[in-house]
Amino acid sequence: MATNHLLEIKNHGQSIWMDNLSRDIIESGELQNLVENQGISGITSNPAIFEKAITGNGIYDADIEAGMRAGLPTYKIYESLVFADIRNACDILRPVYDATKGLDGYVSIEVPPTIAHDTQATINEARRYCQEIGRENVMIKIPGTNAGLPAVEATIAAGINVNITLLFAVASYVNAAWAYIRGLEKRVNEGQDISKIASVASFFLSRIDTNIDAKIDAKLQKGVDDINHEARLRAVRGKIAIANAKIAYQEYQNIIASDRWQALAAKGAKVQRLLWASTSTKDSSYSDVMYVNELIGHDTVNTLPPGTIKACADHCHVSDSLETGVAEAHNLIESLKDPDININIEAVMSELLVEGIDKFVQPFQSLMNSLEEKLKVLSPV
C-alpha cells in the first residue's frame, strides 16, 4: 500500500488542516474519512469558500426556505447556514480535539470581512459567533490589521480561540504573537485559566510569490542590460514566500524563548502555532507541493485545499525542512534591495493585506447578493 505522506508529516510535529468546508463533504462522509483516515486534523473556512459552497448548490435550499418562512433577513439566513456547517464540522473533529488535548481538532470561521478595520465590532462579533456556535473547538478568525490586533488581545482575554489571519510581513506575525501573549497575560492577571485557549497565526504564502513574480516578470519583459542582471532577477522568482516563512519561524522561536512566554507556559499556556496559508501554487512551473515540502517543522500547521491534500498524500517529500537554509532565506530577502532587483517588500506586504481583505469582502458581498436572488426564486408569488 502506498505511503500517505500526510500521516508522515504528523511525525515531524506539523498538523495538516484542510482549507475547505461545505455541507456536501459533511453529509457525504468525506470529511469524516479525511479526519479518520487521511490525517486531516482541522478545518479553515473563509467567505470565498462559503460563497463557492452555497452559491448554486441546492443542498442549502431547504434551510434557506426555512429562514425565509421565519422572516429572517438575508444576513441571518447566511449565518444560519454557515453556523450549522461549522457546528457539524466541529462535531466531526471533536474526537481529534479530545485526543490531542486541544492542540488540534479546530474549525475556523471568519468574522465578517466588512468589519476588518473596526476593533469593537470585531470583538463583539467574535464573542457572538463563539456563543452562538457553541462548540469548544471553534476558532474565530480575525485579520491581523491594526484594528484586528487589539481585538485579538481582547478575544483571547475573553477565553476564545483565535486564528489571526492575513499575515504577510514577518513584523505583522510578531505583532500577532504578542497580541496573543498580552491576551493570555490579562487572563492570568484576572486569575483565570489559560490552559484551554488555542491560537494560530496564519501566514500567507503563494500570494507573496504571485505578486513578486509578476514584478520580476515585468522587469524581464522590459529587457535587462546583461545576463547577470537577468540571473539575479530569476534567482528570486518563487523563492520569497518560503524565505519569508522561514524567517517568521525563527522569530517564533525567539518569542517562545522569552521570559514572558515561559511564565505563561509554566501556567499551562499553549504555544500559538504558525499556520501556513495560501498553499496551492499558482505557477504551473512550480511543484504543486512546494509550500508543503519546504516548510515542515515542529509546532506548525499547514492548511491545504483539497487538490494539494491529494497531491501531498501522493508525492510530498517529508523532512524537517523548516529550519534549513535560514541564512539563505535572509540573503534572499535582503537581495530584493539590490538595485538590479529593487522590490520594496514592505510595500508588497501592505498591498497584499489590502488586497487580502478585499478578496474576502467581494465574495462575502457576492454571496449576500446570490442569497437575495435565491430568496426571490424560492419565495411564493
Side-chain angles (χ1 to χ4, degrees), residues 276-288:
W276 313 127
S278 175
T279 53
S280 60
T281 42
K282 307 299 187 284
D283 185 321
S284 58
S285 69
Y286 300 153
S287 160
D288 56 359

Side-chain angles (χ1 to χ4, degrees), residues 83-94:
F83 286 5
D85 285 358
I86 294 286
R87 282 187 206 105
N88 289 330
C90 280
D91 292 345
I92 289 167
L93 279 148
R94 182 65 199 231

Side-chain angles (χ1 to χ4, degrees), residues 342-362:
N342 192 27
I343 291 173
N344 182 336
I345 192 164
E346 288 82 9
V348 167
M349 299 312 185
S350 300
E351 196 181 311
L352 287 168
L353 179 57
V354 172
E355 262 176 33
I357 292 162
D358 199 41
K359 280 182 179 175
F360 288 157
V361 169
Q362 283 178 352

